[in-house]
Amino acid sequence: AQKITQTQPGMFVQEKEAVTLDCTYDTSDPSYGLFWYKQPSSGEMIFLIYQGSYDQQNATEGRYSLNFQKARKSANLVISASQLGDSAMYFCAMRETPNDMRFGAGTRLTVKP
Amino acid sequence: NAGVTQTPKFQVLKTGQSMTLQCAQDMNHNSMYWYRQDPGMGLRLIYYSASEGTTDKGEVPNGYNVSRLNKREFSLRLESAAPSQTSVYFCASRGTGHNQPQHFGDGTRLSIL
């Protein structure tokens, strides 16, 4: 069964606008971590933001924030004030055990000037 | 500031050939990982090593072997390459702590003809 689902294969956003990338997950473990990574066209994987299942507040890192809705099992990434350099693939991932990280299929974000 | 270093960056093999992908990290991390990335499927875990001297299978281990040579180095070997192993391979390492992300190398693009 798919553990991480990213339902948007591709998204477009106008420069300087905000965009939300969706991620839902499936787990029965009360303790887990959620991660978002960015993969630009150059291919490297860049860590963006982390949310722990017991964290009371939504994680934020600069222009990135995570809209964590635990009951709905969703962990959407919000990018504010989009920039052209934000065009990339974005992957949501979940870690239930220390060494088992599962990735979604990714969302390709294109920022339009 | 090397982080995780993978060699080679590109490789073309013929079916049946063998090859070892090298990975080294300089962050003193205990845990290291090998993933493959295929179009539309995100990253899938091949093998991991939670500490020096230990290795374990991930989601897609068939056709691969690994060696944790020391704390810094974790290699992935294809004994008899098959076209289905054409992929981009990523090595990663992680520090201790539930909120620690995985840090990735730049990837190895492997084509098997």
Side-chain angles (χ1 to χ4, degrees):
Chain A
Q2 195 78 353
K3 292 250 182 185
I4 296 285
T5 302
Q6 294 181 252
T7 57
Q8 307 152 315
M11 287 281 287
F12 291 88
V13 65
Q14 207 67 38
E15 194 178 7
K16 299 180 185 176
E17 292 185 349
V19 62
T20 298
L21 307 184
D22 294 342
C23 173
T24 57
Y25 58 91
D26 181 27
T27 182
S28 56
D29 194 329
S31 177
Y32 53 90
L34 297 157
F35 300 79
W36 277 91
Y37 284 84
K38 173 184 178 182
Q39 187 177 42
S41 57
S42 49
E44 70 270 30
M45 295 288 288
I46 302 167
F47 165 68
L48 296 177
I49 195 166
Y50 164 83
Q51 180 84 44
S53 59
Y54 294 119
D55 293 344
Q56 295 296 313
Q57 293 193 322
N58 286 345
T60 60
E61 287 286 349
R63 294 187 298 111
Y64 304 109
S65 60
L66 207 151
N67 183 1
F68 181 45
Q69 298 186 49
K70 193 170 181 177
R72 298 180 63 183
K73 295 185 178 178
S74 75
N76 298 339
L77 178 71
V78 180
I79 305 174
S80 63
S82 296
Q83 302 171 356
L84 296 178
D86 293 335
S87 293
M89 284 289 290
Y90 288 82
F91 292 95
C92 178
M94 177 177 66
R95 185 165 67 214
E96 295 171 283
T97 63
N99 295 298
D100 185 10
M101 181 109 96
R102 299 296 177 109
F103 286 79
T107 295
R108 181 173 299 281
L109 177 67
T110 303
V111 180
K112 295 180 173 179
Chain B
N1 234 23
V4 179
T5 303
Q6 291 182 234
T7 55
K9 295 193 184 308
F10 302 94
Q11 186 70 48
V12 179
L13 293 177
K14 295 181 179 178
T15 298
Q17 287 185 318
S18 62
M19 137 147 237
T20 299
L21 306 186
Q22 306 287 353
C23 175
Q25 52 94 8
D26 62 3
M27 295 174 281
N28 202 36
H29 288 165
N30 283 322
S31 300
M32 296 186 72
Y33 309 83
W34 275 104
Y35 289 89
R36 60 179 289 173
Q37 183 178 25
D38 300 299
M41 297 187 74
L43 277 74
R44 291 182 293 167
L45 183 64
I46 304 170
Y47 270 93
Y48 67 91
S49 171
S51 62
E52 186 179 351
T54 70
T55 61
D56 283 287
K57 295 178 180 179
E59 187 182 355
V60 288
N62 291 346
Y64 305 95
N65 286 302
V66 290
S67 295
R68 184 73 182 268
L69 305 169
N70 47 55
K71 191 169 186 179
R72 289 187 65 247
E73 298 173 288
F74 188 38
S75 62
L76 177 72
R77 183 160 177 85
L78 287 70
E79 290 290 352
S80 179
S84 61
Q85 294 177 305
T86 293
S87 190
V88 180
Y89 291 85
F90 285 96
C91 178
S93 70
R94 185 174 79 87
T96 304
H98 67 91
N99 62 344
Q100 292 300 303
Q102 293 182 359
H103 299 268
F104 287 85
D106 289 342
T108 295
R109 189 173 294 274
L110 183 61
S111 295
I112 299 161
L113 307 176

